Amino acid sequence: MRRAAAPVAAPLATDAQLLAAAVEAAIASRSARLGRAAHARALRLVAPAVPPFLRAHLVNLYSKLDLPGPAAAALASDPSPTVVSYTAFISGAAQHGRPAPALSAFAAMLRLGLRPNDFTFPSAFKAAAAIAAPRSAAAIGPQVHALALRLGYLPADAFVACAALDMYFKTGRLALARRLFEEMPNRNVVAWNAVMTNAVLDGRPLETVEAYFGLRKAGGMPNVVSVCAFFNACAGATYLSLGEQFHGFVVKCGFEMDVSVNNSMVDFYGKCRCVEKARAVFDGMGVRNSVSWCCMVVAYAQNSGEEEAFSVYLGARRAGEEPTDFMVSSVLTTCAGLLGLELGRALHAVAVRSCIDANIFVASALVDMYGKCGGIEDAEQVFFEMPQRNLVTWNAMIGSYAHIGDARNALAVFDDMIKCGETAPNYITLVNVLAACSRGGLTREGYELFKTMNDRFGIKPRIEHYACVVDLLGRAGMEEQAYEIIQGMPMRPSISVWGALLGACKMHGKTELGRIAAEKLFELDPQDSGNHVLLSNMFASAGRWAEATDVRKEMKNVGIKKEPGRSWITWKNVVHVFQAKDTKHEMNNEIQALLAKLRSQMQAAGYMPDTQYALYDLEEEEKESEVFQHSEKLALAFGLICIPPGVPIRIMKNLRICADCHRAFKFISGIAGREIIVRDNNRFHHFKNYECSCKDYW
C-alpha cells in the first residue's frame, strides 16, 4: 500500500521559519539585497498565506534598513497586522528621522484597536520629540503620555518613563520633565542620564553636575553615558578643577579604557585651555576612532595651535582614517586660522573626492575658510550652490563680506536670511553686519540696525556690538557721539571699545579725546605696545613731536617694546618674512632695484608719498625713504619678482596697513598689471587696476 502524503502545512511552516532566519541575517548584515531576495522567495513559496510572524519580519527588515517605501508597502499588504508589525514600522521611522510617518502609523494602530506595548511607546515618544513643529510636538507628546498612563505603563515602567522624560526635555517642557522624574518609582541610570545629557545640550552644565551627584547619592553607578555627560558639562562651563578630580575617579573605576570617555576627556581639556593634558590623554589611548582624531584637532584649533591641528589631521590620514564631515570641517577651521588658502583648497578637493562637500557642516566651513582667507569668489560659489543653509552658513557668508568691507553685499545676504524665515539671526550675525557697515562706510544703516536690534530680533547689544558701533561712528568722524555711547554703556567698556575710539581719533586728529581713550586702554592693558604706538603716532601726525617723544620714553621706562611690523609671503611652500628696512633677505639687491624702479614709475603716474604718520621729526626726503622701506612693500617687491604673472600676490601683515602703502599698492597694481591681496590685522584689501576693494575707507 502507498503511504499517505504528508500534510502541506509542515514544509510551508519550515520554509517560513527559514525565510524568517534569512530576513534576520539580512538585518544583521545590513544587506537590502539579501532581504529583498528572501522577500521574493517568500512570495513564491508561501504566498498567499504568508504567516503573520514572517510579515512582521519583513516590515522590520525594511524599517531597520531605512527603506520607507517598502516598509510601508509591507505593512499595508498585511490583512491583519499585529502590534509587532506596527511597532517595527514606528521604531524604524523614528530612528531614521521620519517622525511624521511614525506618528501616523501609531494613530492607525490605535484605530485598529491594537494595544501599544512597552516597545511601541518609547518609539512614539522619540517621534514626538523629533517632530519638526515645536507646538505640534508639545501637543502630541502629552497625548501619548496620557495613553501610556491609562494603560499602566507610566510611571512604573522605567523603559517607557525614560523615553517620555527625554521627550519632554527635547521639546522644552522642563517643568513636566521634572515632575515626571519625581514621580518615577524606579529611577535607573538611564533616567539620570536623560536628565544629564539634555541639560548639557540645553546649556545647563550645573544641572548636569547636580544630577550626577543625585545618581551617586541614590546609590546608582554611572555608566559610560553618565561619565561623558559629566565631562561635557565640565567642558561647557570650564570647570577645570572638578573635571580633573573626575578624571581621577574615571581612572580608578576603569572607565579610561572606553574610547568615548577618552574622547570626552580630550574635548574637556581642550575647552579648558589645557591642550597639553588633552594631548596626553590622546597619546595614551589604546584605541582611537574618527571622533578621537577630530577632538584632538579641535583642541588644538581652539587653543591657537592651527599647525599642530593640521599635523594631527595628517596623522589621522596616515593611520588609515577616512575623512568624515566632522573631521574635514574641523580642519578647515584651522586653515581659516592659518589663512592657508592653498591648504583649504586641497581640503576642498578631499571633500569632493569623499562626496562630503555638499554636507551642510563641510560647506559652511568652506564658506568660512574661503572668506577668512580672502577667496570671496570661492566663498560665494560654495554658498550659492548649497541646497540648504544653517545659521553658521549665513554668518560665514556675511562675515566674508565684512572681512573685505563689502557692506552692500553683506546687507543683501542679511536681508535674504531674514526673508527666507528659516533661520533667525543671532548676536554673531549682527556683529558681522555691523562690522561690514563699519568697514564699508554705511554709517546710517549700521547705526539704525544697532538701535533697533533688540526690538527687531530680541537681541540685546553685547560688548562686541558696542565695539562695532563705536568703530562705525568713529570712522565716519563722529567720535564725540561714539564717546557718548561708551559713557552710556550698561557694561564696562572693553579694550576693543576704547581701541576703536582711539583708532578713530588718530584717523581724524582728535588728540584730546584720543588721549582719554588711550589712558583707559593703559589701565586695562598697560603692557600692550600697540596702544602706546597709536597714541604716539597720533601726536606725531598732528606735529606734536614733544608729546609723541614722551609716549615713546614712557614705553621705554616701563619696559614696553613695540611689536615690529612684519609682512610675509609664501612662495613654493616657503614663507618669506620681511621687516621694515630689512636688508637680510637673499634677494635684497633685486628687491631694492625693483622698488627704485617702481618708485620712479609711480611718481611719473602722479604718486606722492604720504608721510603724515612718519614716526620721527625728519626732513621730508628722509620721511619718503622711511615709508618706502615698509615691510609690505618689501614683500610686494619679492612677490613681483618671483610669482608669475596672472597669479595673485598674497601678503599677510601683523599690523594695519599704513596710508602710504595703501596708496602705493593701488598704483603698483595698475602699473604692474597685477592683483594684490593684503591681509592686515583688521581686514582684506584687494588691489587691482589702481583701485582697492575697500574704496579707500578702512
Side-chain angles (χ1 to χ4, degrees):
M1 292 179 62
R2 296 180 63 184
R3 189 172 296 176
V8 177
L12 286 179
T14 303
D15 286 342
Q17 290 170 351
L18 291 173
L19 289 170
V23 170
E24 288 298 316
I27 294 173
S29 61
R30 307 289 301 171
S31 173
R33 183 178 180 182
L34 177 60
R36 290 181 189 278
H39 191 174
R41 189 75 172 170
L43 293 176
R44 182 177 158 192
L45 291 181
V46 297
V50 178
F53 78 91
L54 182 54
R55 292 184 184 276
H57 273 74
L58 291 171
V59 174
N60 189 41
L61 162 76
Y62 292 124
S63 297
K64 285 190 175 173
L65 295 187
D66 194 19
L67 298 169
L75 182 63
S77 66
D78 192 344
S80 54
T82 65
V83 66
V84 176
S85 300
Y86 269 105
T87 299
F89 182 87
I90 294 166
S91 175
Q95 288 175 359
H96 292 101
R98 292 191 303 278
L103 293 171
S104 295
F106 184 74
M109 182 184 72
L110 295 177
R111 285 194 294 271
L112 290 175
L114 296 174
R115 178 189 174 105
N117 60 25
D118 55 345
F119 292 98
T120 317
F121 275 115
S123 297
F125 280 125
K126 185 179 182 67
I131 199 75
R135 291 183 180 178
S136 299
I140 294 171
Q143 292 179 46
V144 179
H145 183 171
L147 181 61
L149 190 66
R150 186 162 64 87
L151 296 180
Y153 288 106
L154 286 177
D157 190 301
F159 189 46
V160 176
C162 289
L165 184 67
D166 189 65
M167 178 273 298
Y168 280 125
F169 275 123
K170 284 186 167 51
T171 54
R173 308 289 289 273
L174 301 185
L176 290 175
R178 289 167 182 145
R179 179 178 175 181
L180 176 61
F181 183 75
E182 293 297 327
E183 292 174 352
M184 291 173 63
N186 303 309
R187 295 180 202 149
N188 58 10
V189 67
V190 178
W192 288 101
N193 286 347
V195 176
M196 286 188 276
T197 55
N198 281 288
V200 169
L201 292 173
D202 292 343
R204 304 190 309 275
L206 183 59
E207 190 172 324
T208 300
V209 174
E210 291 173 347
Y212 173 81
F213 287 117
L215 166 66
R216 300 293 284 140
K217 187 176 180 180
M221 185 64 187
N223 60 13
V224 169
V225 176
S226 319
V227 172
C228 291
F230 193 93
F231 274 123
N232 290 339
C234 292
T238 60
Y239 294 151
L240 176 59
S241 177
L242 183 61
E244 287 178 322
Q245 295 176 56
F246 194 65
H247 186 170
F249 168 79
V250 164
V251 173
K252 180 180 177 181
C253 295
F255 283 113
E256 65 172 344
M257 304 303 293
D258 186 272
V259 65
S260 298
V261 171
N262 281 313
N263 293 344
S264 297
M265 285 196 289
V266 172
D267 179 66
F268 156 69
Y269 281 120
K271 285 186 168 67
C272 290
R273 303 293 181 185
C274 296
V275 70
E276 297 84 3
K277 292 184 179 181
R279 185 63 196 238
V281 174
F282 178 80
D283 289 340
M285 293 174 68
V287 177
R288 298 182 185 129
N289 56 19
S290 61
V291 178
S292 312
W293 293 98
C294 290
C295 286
M296 196 64 243
V297 168
V298 172
Y300 275 125
Q302 289 172 337
N303 291 278
S304 302
E306 287 85 2
E307 293 183 12
E308 293 88 347
F310 201 83
S311 176
V312 171
Y313 164 74
L314 295 177
R317 297 306 308 275
R318 284 192 294 268
E321 289 289 339
E322 290 297 318
T324 63
D325 52 357
F326 184 56
M327 182 181 292
V328 172
S329 59
S330 299
V331 182
L332 282 168
T333 63
T334 71
C335 294
L338 288 169
L339 302 177
L341 181 61
E342 297 309 317
L343 287 177
R345 283 180 172 153
L347 278 168
H348 192 170
V350 169
V352 171
R353 286 199 303 270
S354 303
C355 300
I356 57 175
D357 56 307
N359 176 274
I360 191 167
F361 301 107
V362 174
S364 298
L366 283 168
V367 174
D368 182 63
M369 180 275 297
Y370 280 127
K372 288 179 178 174
C373 293
I376 190 65
E377 294 85 3
D378 296 310
E380 289 174 331
Q381 182 175 350
V382 174
F383 178 80
F384 289 114
E385 289 179 355
M386 289 178 68
Q388 58 176 333
R389 301 168 185 138
N390 60 13
L391 179 61
V392 175
T393 316
W394 290 103
N395 285 350
M397 193 66 245
I398 296 170
S400 298
Y401 286 125
H403 279 302
I404 64 170
D406 189 346
R408 292 294 179 190
N409 273 325
L411 284 174
V413 173
F414 178 62
D415 289 340
D416 290 342
M417 177 185 182
I418 302 302
K419 288 175 183 176
C420 80
E422 297 176 0
T423 308
N426 66 354
Y427 83 97
I428 295 175
T429 315
L430 298 183
V431 169
N432 287 337
V433 177
L434 288 171
C437 291
S438 174
R439 293 166 181 173
L442 298 186
T443 308
R444 180 181 59 80
E445 292 86 343
Y447 190 50
E448 185 66 23
L449 175 63
F450 174 77
K451 290 191 297 183
T452 60
M453 58 186 283
N454 191 18
D455 294 335
R456 290 178 62 189
F457 309 112
I459 300 173
K460 293 182 178 180
R462 300 191 185 184
I463 198 77
E464 299 93 339
H465 303 109
Y466 279 101
C468 285
V469 80
V470 168
D471 190 56
L472 173 87
L473 297 173
R475 287 173 188 268
M478 303 164 68
E479 293 85 0
E480 287 79 8
Q481 188 173 345
Y483 184 50
E484 290 176 6
I485 287 177
I486 293 175
Q487 291 177 308
M489 286 175 60
M491 72 285 289
R492 185 186 182 191
S494 65
I495 291 174
S496 59
V497 172
W498 289 116
L501 182 62
L502 177 58
C505 290
K506 178 207 167 190
M507 183 186 302
H508 298 288
K510 301 292 181 65
T511 54
E512 297 310 317
L513 187 55
R515 184 192 289 275
I516 294 173
E519 289 173 353
K520 295 292 184 180
L521 285 167
F522 297 161
E523 292 176 9
L524 294 171
D525 190 2
Q527 295 301 313
D528 186 356
S529 63
N531 298 325
H532 290 78
V533 172
L534 203 59
L535 180 62
S536 175
N537 287 352
M538 181 176 66
F539 286 134
S541 65
R544 297 166 63 169
W545 298 106
E547 291 163 291
T549 303
D550 289 341
V551 175
R552 296 279 173 164
K553 286 180 179 179
E554 183 182 352
M555 289 176 61
K556 187 175 181 180
N557 292 338
V558 298
I560 300 174
K561 293 184 179 180
K562 172 187 176 293
E563 181 184 8
R566 294 189 183 92
S567 297
W568 57 96
I569 185 171
T570 303
W571 173 239
K572 293 186 175 179
N573 294 324
V574 177
V575 179
H576 298 262
V577 183
F578 296 88
Q579 290 190 29
K581 306 180 189 177
D582 198 342
T583 59
K584 298 177 183 178
H585 197 275
E586 59 185 11
M587 294 180 61
N588 181 61
N589 291 336
E590 294 95 322
I591 289 171
Q592 294 301 329
L594 180 58
L595 284 175
K597 180 181 177 182
L598 286 172
R599 185 175 181 179
S600 175
Q601 291 176 322
M602 290 160 59
Q603 288 175 340
Y607 162 78
M608 291 293 292
D610 187 341
T611 60
Q612 65 169 318
Y613 295 125
L615 300 183
Y616 304 103
D617 190 8
L618 305 173
E619 295 296 328
E620 197 64 30
E621 186 175 343
E622 292 178 278
K623 289 182 181 180
E624 292 182 15
S625 300
E626 288 276 333
V627 296
F628 222 77
Q629 291 297 314
H630 282 186
S631 62
E632 54 265 53
K633 290 193 179 80
L634 300 176
L636 175 57
F638 171 82
L640 289 169
I641 293 169
C642 296
I643 298 177
V647 179
I649 299 172
R650 298 178 179 274
I651 299 170
M652 307 298 168
K653 182 174 172 59
N654 66 330
L655 303 176
R656 186 173 294 194
I657 188 171
C658 76
D660 180 72
C661 288
H662 191 272
R663 181 183 299 178
F665 277 32
K666 289 197 298 180
F667 274 92
I668 294 171
S669 70
I671 291 169
R674 300 294 296 269
E675 181 181 0
I676 306 164
I677 301 171
V678 178
R679 175 65 163 96
D680 65 12
N681 69 344
N682 185 54
R683 60 175 294 169
F684 276 99
H685 297 265
H686 288 236
F687 299 93
K688 191 174 182 180
N689 296 328
Y690 297 97
E691 293 183 350
C692 178
S693 59
C694 74
K695 308 298 182 186
D696 297 336
Y697 191 90
W698 87 101

